[in-house]
Amino acid sequence: MSTLKNKPGANGAAEILVHPAQGNTPAPCMLGCASGGDVRLWMGIVAQRGKLGLSNAQAYARAWGLITETNPFPATLGRICPHPCETACNREGKDGAVAINAMERFLGDWALQFHLPLSRLEDAPPGASIGVVGAGPAGLSFAYQLARRGHRVTVYERREQAGGMLRYGIPAFRLPKAILQSEIDRIVALGVDLRLNVAVGRDVSVEDLRERHDMLFLGIGAGSAARLGVPGEDGPGVIGGIEFLNAVNRGEGYGQLSEVVVIGGGNTAIDAARSARRRGASVSLLYRRTRDEMPAIASEVDAAIAEGVSIEFLVAPTSIRRDAIGPNAVMVQRMALGEPDASGRRRPVPVPGATFAVPARLVIAAVSQNVDWSGLEPLDTGTRAGDAGTLGDGVLSGGDMLGLGIAGMAIAQGRQAAEAVHAKLTGAARPAPPVRRASPARDVAADFYPARPPAQVPEQLVAERIAQPDLEVHETLSETAFLEEAERCFSCGQCHGCQYCFMYCNGGGFVRLDETQPGAYFALSLDRCLGCGKCIELCPTGFLSPVDAPG
Amino acid sequence: MQLLASEGINLPTEVVERGIDAYMLHMDVGSVRIRTPSEEKRIAGVFRGNGPRGSERALRVGFDRYLLDLAASSGAQVVRSLVTRVGWHEDRPEIEHGGGKRACYDLVALAAGVNSQLLQNGCDAAPGYSFPGTLTTFISEFHLGQAAIQASLGDAMHIFLLDLPRLEFAALIPKGDYVTLCVLGHDVDEKLVDAFLAAPEVKRCFPDSKVPELVCHCFPRLNVRPPAQPYADRLVWIGDCGVARLYKDGIGSAYRMAKAAARTAAFHGVSAQDFEAHYAPTCKAMNWDNTLARLVFMSTTAIQKLRPLRRGVLRMTATEQANREQFHHMSSVLWDVFTGSAPYQDVLVRSCHPGFIASLAWNLVAGNVAALAGKPYGNGS
Amino acid sequence: MTEGALGKTYRNGELIVRQGEEGNCMYVVQAGTLEVLREEHDGSVRIAVMNTGDIFGEMSIFEREVRSASVRALGEARVLSIDKKTFLRRIQEDPPLAFNLVKIMAHRIRMLSEEVASLKQKTAPPAARVNAQERRAGQDRRHGRDRRAGVDRRTAVVGRLRNA
């Protein structure tokens, strides 16, 4: 038995040898991305532009093109996405996650500035007719993916403008309407027939749609605010969070407000509270759990607090007290956290005897939202969940109507439904779903990368924000900051061409490739491998991993 | 170490993993301990780079890091980046590093060793340069802990002259919690290493005569034949990618060659003619000494192959070591061969000394007669 | 003393070189403190103290005289020796190797000159002493040095006499 061992339990001289394999483990950011984008790849194009022989503009265009493969709204999502990609980022443990979201916004804005069109795919146009109900992120994503594949797509929107929740549910200080409109226009420019002010059930029937189109997609969202279910809720002065934001976004009413109470802990509640603050109100936000359980984007909660929104945690409304004018207070019950519920969050339970009143002239209930099926009742099969939301023969769905989620998720559902439709119509193979491995690349040599704090996104002063309600709070990164931020990417699990393996392989096992791209700088020839394992040890990204001896 | 100290460079204790004060020569006919001439720790066991795999956290300061800091403290600007190409930009050499960054210099000293691809296929900047001839070696580390090392190996470097096919020689060097194994030979591979580690002389050096698990290993190359011309206009090759001492004292020779190159650049100039006039003589002197080294190593190979010769060498060394007053012919020759402390020419001259030859002749006879009578020599276990 | 130590370790009071003995090497202090003792007929006088990095005994590299003073360890100390033969051979290969020694010796000559001047000054009349002091202060300013107080400076000068 050999005394040479590198692995526990290894026997025989040959077993000290370690041979590398080039891996393809997905990066945590890719698994985190709700819209299914290959973050590592587009980031790599920018960071490695020098090695790839690309000018800055060429790199931006290619990176933007890669993003729009899955998400036609980079400038929009670059502003509003809660960026689960950054939460997953391996760099978080070193000196802060890469500011992926801010970088996406830079590319989105850059493409708008230079009027980059969305790309069409090379497929021969099959010419099928597709109907889409609802011009929100899911419907528009679906329309985009089919239009670029050559199908004829008609989108029916009952409101006066497209965008759905992106337009009517998100205030302008987070997402300027002009940015959203430009990104929608780009989709329409692919030949999508967008019919505004057309309500199914009123202006066109479900039967008409079935007759006109080969396939139907529903992306009608969940725009109906859920009720609080407490006494005093009915009557003027109590409004749903989404309805309040709708009104604000349409510029209707709510000139100046006084005392406002917002109930809820999601993004709608925070957006409503911040919008109310910008209309002169003193705002109290009531949430029945603690900050840790709050589903809203943490930085937005911080911004709300900085803008003067007072947040009361662990309280639940019990009734709304009214006087002759309308509501004058929300009666609340103090709560404490009990056992975890189905969502894994600890369930709030009442503290006996602890009740008090919070003064309120306007109560905004932002606790949840429901799907409004009016006009589409024949299609309501009661089915909600499932891949691409199949609602029966020839009808698919996506977006919030499948369950409340973030815009990125709606965009992904729209794309997946489109891929399924295209595959069905053309007989082409449907793209394999991305490999969602349980273990993304974590074996990264963080010490290889010089320490550098993440880019700071410039933001407006609080006084300016309150004075100008529609002033966008955050600015876009400068080009310098954007490029520096790209350098911070670890390229987890993918070769970024550092050349350490090549430079230190004594056997000459790595051969430079003529045509390079992120993940493909060297060809590996195990025939020449001496088995020292140095390349694996040196590889900073975890792209090289040990395999058993060949043969 | 002494010469560095005389120049004011004293390796701090956190760099020296272990000070070594003796060599233990192991052969199948017995072992003998050769003390340092003045019984002091003159050899420093240091870790290169980050040290063995898994030691990075415990490593206080690696040797390379120490030197780099020393250079930086003298005013050198250290750029932590991998150099991937050396070429020309107009009339000055240009370095490409860190994935596309470029910088021009008046002079580039290439000290990239023989284990990097940088110069392996020549050098863009100097087509006249040819890569040195190399020999593959094997280096690995065992983790034993200080106490076990002290008990089994002590403060000694252990040299093995074993009659194994393809083996030139091998050594075990204690360093902190680790023991480094170096194997030199022809076409060194895992089979040769396995055969070496299976030898009883080797096993005996480890606690309970059991060879522990390797924590890391590599097959680095060694410069054994100099490059054609280790200098050009504004370029000079130093260390292993230039002219280096055969088998031994690589760091010492790199230091001397670097000084010769620096001296040329500082006092004469950086043209090929300047290096030809002032750097090449140092290269030639070392190359000549390396030629003589081949003769020296032919004799160690002879010792390895011929058992009667081994007996004579062992007896002669052991007798010298037992008698402090006696002149240490064999001990000093062996010491200098295995440490590289003296030029090989000097070693050769000493081994041609009539006293040396006479003593060896006597010990050859006496050693082999004693062996036949069943009384082997040696002062080691 | 740690494992990672070079040189030879000496116990407190142990002699490293003995005055009057022939020397064939010089030394570099690796750790600890040593004292240089000049043995006179009426006892020994400490003439210098040495610390890590200091070199002593270098005269024996260049001349065949006996050691001019003894050196012994003050507490545990570690010292690395450099033998004459090796060192001289290396100087042949690499002459600048002697540069550091020349620098040290030049420094010692300067200190000795100052010491001689200081001793002469003591015996000179008061007016000449002031002039000498001013002249020396002018030299020091040119060399960018601070002049230490007379007594301290004398100690420092003596402290550098390490030609053991």
Side-chain angles (χ1 to χ4, degrees):
Chain A
M1 187 181 111
S2 169
T3 45
L4 297 177
K5 294 177 188 175
N6 249 30
K7 294 170 274 186
N11 297 315
E15 295 198 22
I16 60 159
L17 305 181
V18 187
H19 302 276
Q22 294 177 319
N24 192 23
T25 319
C29 54
M30 298 157 67
L31 300 192
C33 179
S35 63
D38 192 341
V39 179
R40 181 180 62 188
L41 185 57
W42 66 255
M43 186 82 72
I45 296 285
V46 177
Q48 299 155 40
R49 65 195 181 286
K51 297 172 194 168
L52 301 169
L54 299 175
S55 69
N56 286 4
Q58 285 171 321
Y60 303 163
R62 265 179 71 175
W64 179 82
L66 281 164
I67 295 176
T68 55
E69 283 298 310
T70 55
N71 165 27
F73 296 103
T76 300
L77 284 204
R79 285 170 164 80
I80 58 140
C81 185
H83 46 71
C85 51
E86 291 183 30
T87 312
C89 177
N90 279 333
R91 183 122 198 176
E92 181 62 35
K94 182 181 171 81
D95 50 13
V98 177
I100 301 168
N101 195 228
M103 292 182 66
E104 182 182 22
R105 170 175 168 164
F106 174 91
L107 288 172
D109 284 8
W110 183 85
L112 288 178
Q113 189 190 340
F114 291 96
H115 307 287
L116 260 62
L118 291 168
S119 68
R120 293 172 189 278
L121 297 180
E122 296 300 316
D123 296 7
S129 173
I130 313 290
V132 179
V133 183
L140 288 174
S141 167
F142 177 86
Y144 159 63
Q145 294 292 354
L146 284 178
R148 70 198 294 245
R149 286 172 168 84
H151 298 282
R152 288 173 291 128
V153 185
T154 308
V155 180
Y156 303 91
E157 171 56 53
R158 65 185 172 133
R159 294 178 194 265
E160 63 275 23
Q161 284 186 295
M165 280 294 282
L166 296 174
R167 178 179 298 278
Y168 295 105
I170 292 176
F173 60 82
R174 283 182 63 206
L175 174 59
K177 306 300 166 209
I179 296 283
L180 175 66
Q181 190 57 49
S182 303
E183 296 209 305
I184 294 171
D185 289 345
R186 222 166 32 195
I187 296 173
V188 173
L190 287 172
V192 172
D193 182 6
L194 176 61
R195 299 192 185 175
L196 300 171
N197 296 308
V198 177
V200 180
R202 183 189 69 195
D203 306 309
V204 62
S205 69
V206 171
E207 288 69 35
D208 290 341
L209 293 182
R210 280 194 183 281
E211 232 165 78
R212 285 182 204 170
H213 305 295
D214 300 316
M215 297 290 285
L216 283 183
F217 178 84
L218 300 194
I220 56 173
S224 170
R227 289 167 55 82
L228 289 170
V230 298
E233 185 178 4
D234 296 319
V238 178
I239 184 173
I242 193 64
E243 286 149 8
F244 174 76
L245 288 172
N246 266 340
V248 167
N249 279 314
R250 291 152 76 122
E252 293 172 356
Y254 302 110
Q256 282 293 305
L257 298 168
S258 55
E259 288 170 322
V260 173
V261 165
V262 180
I263 299 160
N267 286 320
T268 301
I270 294 291
D271 283 345
R274 295 177 72 191
S275 297
R277 267 298 289 144
R278 282 162 169 74
R279 277 151 190 84
S282 80
V283 181
S284 297
L285 188 142
L286 310 180
Y287 180 52
R288 60 194 183 129
R289 303 182 204 235
T290 70
R291 170 92 198 238
D292 290 344
E293 288 85 25
M294 217 168 182
I297 302 168
S299 60
E300 301 293 331
V301 178
D302 291 338
I305 293 169
E307 288 163 9
V309 173
S310 150
I311 304 183
E312 189 81 49
F313 293 103
L314 288 167
V315 287
T318 53
S319 65
I320 293 165
R321 202 173 65 193
R322 287 174 176 276
D323 56 21
I325 309 165
N328 66 16
V330 176
M331 303 306 295
V332 296
Q333 162 74 56
R334 173 67 64 196
M335 310 296 278
L337 290 183
E339 294 301 309
D341 63 11
S343 71
R345 296 181 299 175
R346 290 173 68 192
R347 186 192 303 276
V349 292
V351 177
T355 58
F356 57 98
V358 182
R361 281 295 168 192
L362 177 69
V363 178
I364 301 172
V367 289
S368 190
Q369 288 150 230
N370 299 318
V371 182
D372 178 6
W373 282 96
S374 50
L376 289 157
E377 291 82 355
L379 295 175
D380 182 8
T381 58
T383 313
R384 300 285 183 276
D387 181 20
T390 304
L391 288 177
D393 189 31
V395 187
L396 296 98
S397 65
D400 275 352
M401 61 181 295
L402 299 181
L404 290 182
I406 58 177
M409 206 189 285
I411 289 168
Q413 288 163 347
R415 172 176 54 82
Q416 285 158 4
E419 284 165 358
V421 167
H422 181 68
K424 187 171 178 182
L425 291 174
T426 61
R430 194 179 162 185
V435 184
R436 297 270 156 176
R437 288 195 208 177
S439 52
R442 294 283 182 200
D443 194 13
V444 178
D447 290 346
F448 176 87
Y449 304 86
R452 186 191 281 171
Q456 290 299 306
V457 178
E459 59 178 32
Q460 305 294 344
L461 296 172
V462 168
E464 298 285 321
R465 300 184 212 166
I466 302 295
Q468 304 173 60
D470 286 345
L471 178 69
E472 193 176 6
V473 172
H474 292 111
E475 291 175 16
T476 307
L477 288 181
S478 69
E479 185 171 9
T480 310
F482 167 79
L483 290 174
E484 283 178 0
E485 197 59 16
E487 299 275 316
R488 295 183 71 243
C489 176
F490 284 171
S491 185
C492 309
Q494 186 171 70
C495 175
H496 56 61
C498 76
Q499 304 203 34
Y500 273 81
C501 56
F502 170 78
M503 294 302 283
Y504 287 103
C505 177
N506 276 349
F510 293 87
V511 180
R512 279 198 177 108
L513 292 171
D514 293 333
E515 300 241 332
T516 57
Q517 58 170 316
Y521 285 93
F522 298 100
L524 171 61
S525 158
L526 284 182
D527 297 344
R528 312 184 67 175
C529 176
L530 299 173
C532 70
K534 202 156 52 176
C535 55
I536 301 167
E537 219 167 307
L538 288 169
C539 179
T541 66
F543 179 66
L544 296 177
S545 54
V547 287
D548 291 333
Chain B
M1 285 306 106
Q2 293 128 292
L3 295 174
L4 282 181
S6 73
E7 291 206 84
I9 302 172
N10 290 291
L11 287 194
T13 47
E14 58 265 32
V15 177
V16 182
E17 291 296 329
R18 187 173 280 264
I20 286 167
D21 64 3
Y23 263 56
M24 193 82 165
L25 175 62
H26 299 275
M27 297 180 286
D28 60 339
V29 293
S31 300
V32 59
R33 187 182 180 87
I34 308 168
R35 295 183 304 272
T36 354
S38 60
E39 293 185 27
E40 64 178 356
K41 292 176 178 173
R42 282 190 170 182
I43 311 268
V46 296
F47 282 136
R48 307 294 310 275
N50 289 330
R53 185 185 291 152
S55 74
E56 293 87 346
R57 295 277 172 264
L59 186 63
R60 293 163 296 180
V61 185
F63 180 69
D64 298 42
R65 174 61 188 271
Y66 171 74
L67 288 186
L68 201 60
D69 289 349
L70 207 60
S73 70
S74 302
Q77 187 199 346
V78 179
V79 180
R80 290 174 197 281
S81 192
L82 180 74
V83 174
T84 48
R85 207 187 120 252
V86 179
W88 284 94
H89 180 71
E90 292 168 358
D91 59 346
R92 296 202 305 159
E94 181 186 59
I95 280 176
E96 196 173 299
H97 67 100
K101 299 187 189 95
R102 283 168 190 203
C104 278
Y105 296 93
D106 293 326
L107 168 69
V108 172
L110 294 135
V114 286
N115 288 296
S116 153
Q117 287 285 332
L118 182 62
L119 308 169
Q120 213 150 128
N121 303 310
C123 174
D124 292 356
Y129 171 79
S130 66
F131 197 66
T134 61
L135 187 74
T136 299
T137 64
F138 177 84
I139 293 184
S140 68
E141 306 283 345
F142 302 100
H143 185 271
L144 282 181
Q146 297 256 9
I149 291 174
Q150 192 60 42
S152 54
L153 297 159
D155 291 330
M157 191 181 269
H158 293 248
I159 302 279
F160 299 86
L161 282 182
L162 304 179
D163 188 12
L164 289 173
R166 293 186 288 139
L167 179 70
E168 193 86 32
F169 57 82
L172 286 172
I173 306 136
K175 293 179 188 174
D177 287 330
Y178 294 83
V179 177
T180 304
L181 165 68
C182 300
V183 179
L184 249 75
H186 304 280
D187 302 323
V188 173
D189 60 10
E190 66 278 10
K191 290 185 188 70
L192 171 57
V193 177
D194 244 3
F196 171 76
L197 289 174
E201 296 83 1
V202 179
K203 284 184 169 176
R204 272 201 296 272
C205 292
F206 291 103
D208 304 326
S209 295
K210 270 192 198 153
V211 179
E213 217 170 280
L214 293 174
V215 289
C216 74
H217 74 279
C218 59
F219 292 94
R221 283 187 291 231
L222 207 64
N223 172 330
V224 290
R225 207 173 46 251
Q229 187 181 310
Y231 48 84
D233 279 335
R234 297 184 182 278
L235 294 170
V236 62
W237 282 258
I238 54 178
D240 253 13
C241 66
V243 175
R245 198 125 189 262
L246 188 67
Y247 296 156
K248 291 288 162 187
D249 192 30
I251 292 175
S253 78
Y255 180 68
R256 290 196 290 281
M257 298 312 289
K259 276 184 78 179
R263 219 163 43 226
T264 306
F267 297 114
H268 304 286
V270 295
S271 70
Q273 287 87 343
D274 292 320
F275 287 119
E276 172 72 38
H278 304 282
Y279 178 61
T282 315
C283 299
K284 280 175 191 149
M286 193 168 290
N287 284 336
W288 168 243
D289 201 50
N290 284 343
T291 308
L292 300 178
R294 293 184 196 280
L295 288 175
V296 172
F297 286 106
M298 271 167 67
S299 45
T300 61
T301 307
I303 297 172
Q304 246 174 305
K305 301 290 169 206
L306 303 170
R307 183 185 281 249
L309 194 52
R310 288 201 288 276
R311 288 200 187 109
V313 168
L314 182 73
R315 188 183 187 280
M316 183 168 162
T317 316
T319 313
E320 286 173 2
Q321 290 293 316
N323 185 353
R324 289 183 186 219
E325 302 307 315
Q326 191 189 335
F327 189 78
H328 286 192
H329 284 291
M330 182 59 85
S331 300
S332 76
V333 163
L334 287 178
W335 176 267
D336 286 336
V337 167
F338 292 127
T339 59
S341 307
Y344 290 116
Q345 178 170 356
D346 198 64
V347 172
L348 209 58
V349 167
R350 271 185 282 149
S351 55
C352 294
H353 188 277
F356 181 96
I357 295 168
S359 176
L360 179 61
W362 161 245
N363 281 289
L364 267 174
V365 175
N368 284 294
V369 169
L372 292 173
K375 283 192 280 182
Y377 275 83
N379 66 3
S381 55
Chain C
M1 295 282 152
T2 59
E3 297 295 331
L6 286 177
K8 190 169 176 177
T9 303
Y10 294 87
R11 291 185 309 277
N12 183 25
E14 200 176 345
L15 276 179
I16 293 123
V17 301
R18 190 186 294 278
Q19 185 177 327
E21 278 186 358
E22 204 176 307
N24 60 356
C25 63
M26 63 177 188
Y27 299 88
V28 185
V29 185
Q30 297 291 300
T33 307
L34 312 178
E35 61 175 348
V36 183
L37 299 169
R38 176 82 195 187
E39 281 160 37
E40 304 291 345
H41 59 280
D42 55 346
S44 60
V45 183
R46 179 196 287 184
I47 54 170
V49 170
M50 285 179 297
N51 295 302
T52 307
D54 283 342
I55 292 181
F56 64 96
E58 74 283 356
M59 300 298 264
S60 69
I61 297 284
F62 302 104
E63 48 179 35
R64 284 169 182 255
E65 297 294 325
V66 294
R67 302 281 189 198
S68 61
S70 298
V71 178
R72 74 175 179 199
L74 279 179
E76 199 176 61
R78 206 155 33 73
V79 175
L80 183 67
S81 71
I82 300 168
D83 48 287
K84 183 176 179 170
K85 199 176 152 196
T86 311
F87 190 66
L88 288 179
R89 190 174 55 218
R90 290 300 190 198
I91 288 179
Q92 298 304 314
E93 294 170 6
D94 179 18
L97 198 60
F99 189 69
N100 192 43
L101 271 195
V102 172
K103 224 166 67 176
I104 289 170
M105 290 166 88
H107 185 69
R108 280 177 193 164
I109 291 169
R110 176 182 294 279
M111 290 298 122
L112 279 170
S113 307
E114 290 199 9
E115 182 67 5
V116 169
S118 166
L119 288 170
K120 279 191 173 175
Q121 185 191 338
K122 271 186 185 172
T123 55
R129 208 179 300 166
V130 171
N131 285 344
Q133 269 179 352
E134 280 172 356
R135 224 176 18 251
R136 205 164 48 230
Q139 279 174 359
D140 281 353
R141 275 195 296 277
R142 279 199 301 280
H143 292 128
R145 281 182 305 200
D146 288 332
R147 171 152 295 278
R148 287 188 264 177
V151 173
D152 289 344
R153 186 178 54 79
R154 263 181 60 90
T155 316
V157 168
V158 172
R160 286 191 178 94
L161 289 169
R162 286 161 198 164
N163 308 333

